[in-house]
């Protein structure tokens, strides 16, 4: 299947299978010739199709790639959605026995090998990254990844915390700043402030000097979102946010994928008439034209970026962005970890630890 140009922009173009490392080359590069990795040969449920392969051959690095020994890798809803729902649409490929799919986008670990043209990293560097849609698969002991997606791990967080950051933080960073152009002093309403993406969005928006209103469901969520620095938290299990937020008082509304009807119903009445912007990360119910003039940016899709990761690192190092980790699972317990994520009761990120 041809890959649409929009997907190509997100790094989804097909890649040819990389050559495998010979045992001699592996020894010279001090990496094993095989490693363990989660893979699947067919789309379907993780229970049925996901396998922990014991001896996946190590591929030869491309000149611009580096090899990371994975310490930790975080889970995202996309991992299962790609496997079960929209993998073909996102990647333009089908997994097979010859070319199985890996799973996982987020990674933190140590550089163990660098390609000939890698300039910014050396063996031993502690790094973190979001893998691109063309070659994800961080639920593994080793991962080869393009230098352009990798940043040094902030020194003040653990590998588990660092792994929890890239996918969700890049999503919220891009939604708020790249797409909605949130500015200092503006008022932002974050729908789903206690989700993984929402938890980051609250902190980033505060760090940028915005006035942050965020929704939560129930007392525990309320306390979490409040602790992240929101100026105003609305518990939507007790009251509708639309009854609390003043008409046409919000500059930016960011739906963290929890209210697909919001734009058509209440958002336009809360957004500023001519300058309000609305952005979401899940498909919207068929969006109607703006009644008041606010701009519907619509659904955005995250893309990996080392440059933006470096900016996120500076927020982490200054203490403005604190990773929120719900739980850490050992490498062999990916299935229970995926189950935990599916309950939608995780508050913060679920992390898989590959090395000790
Ligand atoms: N477009 C993109 O690039 C992109 C990037 C990242 C994530 N996403 C999508 O965005 C959604 C959220 O991702 P995430 O990583 O933040 O998810 P998450 O924290 O792992 O789980 C969030 C889910 O828990 C429920 N939930 C938790 N707190 C809530 C609250 N305060 N208000 C309402 N519902 C709440 C919602 O499920 P229910 O609504 O089913 O109850 C929500 O979808 C997912 O659907 C994910 O696939 C898209």
């Amino acid at each position: 299947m041809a890959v649409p140009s929009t997907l190509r922009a997100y790094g989804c173009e097909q890649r040819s299978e990389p050559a495998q490392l010979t045992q001699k080359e592996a020894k010279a590069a001090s990496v094993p010739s095989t490693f363990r990795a989660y893979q699947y040969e067919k789309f379907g449920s993780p229970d049925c199709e996901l396998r922990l392969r014991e001896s996946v051959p190590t591929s030869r690095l491309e000149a611009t790639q580096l090899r990371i020994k994975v310490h930790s890798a975080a889970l995202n809803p996309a991992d299962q959605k790609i496997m079960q729902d929209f993998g073909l649409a996102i990647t333009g490929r089908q997994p097979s026995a010859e070319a199985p799919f890996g799973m996982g986008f987020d990674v933190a670990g140590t550089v163990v090998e660098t390609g000939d043209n890698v300039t910014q990293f050396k063996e031993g560097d502690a790094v973190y990254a979001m893998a691109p849609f063309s070659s994800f698969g961080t639920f593994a002991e080793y991962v080869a990844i393009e230098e352009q997606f990798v940043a040094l791990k902030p020194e003040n967080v653990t590998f588990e915390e660092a792994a929890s950051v890239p996918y969700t933080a890049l999503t919220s960073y891009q939604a708020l700043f790249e797409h909605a152009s949130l500015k200092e002093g503006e008022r932002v309403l974050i729908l789903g402030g206690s989700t993984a993406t929402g938890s980051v969005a609250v902190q980033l928006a505060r760090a940028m000097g915005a006035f942050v209103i965020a929704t939560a469901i129930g007392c525990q969520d309320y306390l979490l979102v409040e602790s992240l620095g929101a100026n105003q938290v609305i518990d939507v299990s007790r009251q509708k946010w639309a009854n609390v937020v003043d008409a046409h008082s919000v500059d930016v509304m960011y739906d963290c994928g929890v209210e697909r009807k919001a734009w058509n119903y209440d958002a336009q009445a809360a957004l500023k008439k001519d300058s309000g912007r609305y952005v979401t990360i899940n498909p919207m119910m068929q969006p109607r034209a703006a009644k008041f003039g606010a701009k519907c940016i619509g659904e955005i899709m995250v893309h990996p970026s080392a440059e933006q990761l470096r900016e996120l690192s500076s927020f982490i190092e200054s203490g403005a962005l604190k990773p929120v980790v719900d739980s850490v699972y050992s490498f062999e317990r990916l299935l229970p970890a995926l189950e935990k994520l599916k309950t939608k009761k995780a508050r913060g990120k679920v992390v898989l630890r590959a090395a000790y």
Side-chain angles (χ1 to χ4, degrees):
M1 189 180 115
V3 183
S5 57
T6 47
L7 291 184
R8 230 172 266 135
Y10 295 119
C12 300
E13 64 269 37
Q14 288 195 35
R15 304 168 64 111
S16 50
E17 285 307 306
Q20 288 167 18
L21 219 58
T22 62
Q23 276 195 344
K24 201 171 154 197
E25 285 170 326
K27 209 171 162 196
S30 59
V31 293
S33 55
T34 62
F35 62 97
R36 294 193 302 161
Y38 283 93
Q39 292 187 335
Y40 52 95
E41 298 175 2
K42 282 186 200 151
F43 289 129
S45 80
D47 288 349
C48 301
E49 303 298 344
L50 193 61
R51 302 275 179 278
L52 177 51
R53 300 269 185 235
E54 292 293 330
S55 46
V56 175
T58 303
S59 61
R60 204 170 283 158
L61 281 187
E62 289 174 20
T64 49
Q65 286 184 323
L66 44 87
R67 195 178 322 276
I68 299 171
K69 183 172 174 12
V70 179
H71 183 289
S72 292
L75 281 64
N76 289 286
D79 303 325
Q80 290 190 71
K81 289 185 182 179
I82 286 175
M83 188 169 179
Q84 293 193 267
D85 303 323
F86 53 64
L88 186 60
I90 282 281
T91 65
R93 294 180 287 143
Q94 290 265 13
S96 64
E98 298 70 40
F101 278 19
M103 191 186 242
F105 288 92
D106 281 328
V107 62
T110 308
V111 177
V112 290
E113 190 188 355
T114 53
D116 291 343
N117 295 345
V118 167
T119 55
Q120 294 172 49
F121 300 97
K122 58 182 187 322
E123 281 176 43
D125 280 347
V127 293
Y128 71 144
M130 173 192 158
F133 287 97
S134 57
S135 58
F136 48 87
T138 58
F139 301 160
E141 290 175 325
Y142 291 87
V143 62
I145 186 164
E146 296 289 326
E147 178 181 34
Q148 61 173 318
F149 304 132
V150 183
L152 289 173
K153 177 183 86 63
E155 283 182 5
N156 59 336
V157 293
T158 63
F159 281 103
E160 287 91 349
E161 288 170 329
S164 77
V165 169
Y167 194 98
T168 45
L170 286 169
T171 302
S172 290
Y173 181 93
Q174 288 163 16
L176 290 175
F177 306 118
E178 197 174 279
H179 297 279
S181 308
L182 180 68
K183 291 177 199 63
E184 189 178 353
E186 288 193 319
R187 292 168 70 86
V188 58
L189 171 57
I190 296 165
L191 303 180
S194 56
T195 60
T197 44
S199 303
V200 176
V202 168
Q203 297 183 73
L204 288 180
R206 280 288 284 144
M208 295 299 272
F211 184 92
V212 179
I213 311 164
T215 68
I217 302 186
C219 186
Q220 263 190 310
D221 276 12
Y222 184 102
L223 293 174
L224 170 68
V225 178
E226 193 178 51
S227 74
L228 297 173
N231 300 87
Q232 184 182 356
V233 187
I234 305 169
D235 180 354
V236 292
S237 68
R238 300 161 72 95
Q239 55 191 159
K240 283 184 70 174
W241 59 261
N243 294 340
V244 179
V245 178
D246 289 340
H248 305 302
S249 66
V250 170
D251 296 283
V252 169
M253 195 177 293
Y254 171 32
D255 175 17
C256 297
V258 298
E259 291 197 33
R260 59 192 295 265
K261 296 178 181 169
W263 167 260
N264 281 356
Y265 289 96
D266 298 317
Q268 297 186 50
L271 283 165
K272 287 190 178 167
K273 283 185 183 169
D274 294 321
S275 57
R277 288 93 75 197
Y278 181 87
V279 64
T280 180
I281 52 173
N282 261 356
M284 306 165 67
M285 199 172 78
Q286 291 198 322
R288 292 193 204 122
K291 271 195 255 170
F292 303 106
K295 182 179 175 193
C296 181
I297 294 160
E299 186 191 358
I300 61 113
M301 182 86 178
V302 62
H303 58 87
S305 160
E307 193 187 334
Q308 292 178 351
L309 257 190
R310 285 193 290 272
E311 284 196 52
L312 290 165
S313 295
S314 58
F315 283 115
I316 294 172
E317 281 158 356
S318 73
L321 175 59
K322 293 194 172 62
V324 184
V325 174
D326 174 88
S327 40
V328 179
Y329 287 74
S330 62
F331 189 63
E332 293 71 22
R333 300 192 68 240
L334 176 57
L335 285 179
L338 288 167
E339 277 307 310
K340 175 71 193 273
L341 193 71
K342 254 169 65 177
T343 63
K344 297 183 177 171
K345 297 256 184 292
R347 287 300 167 257
K349 299 293 291 179
V350 178
V351 175
L352 196 66
R353 185 159 49 199
Y356 290 86

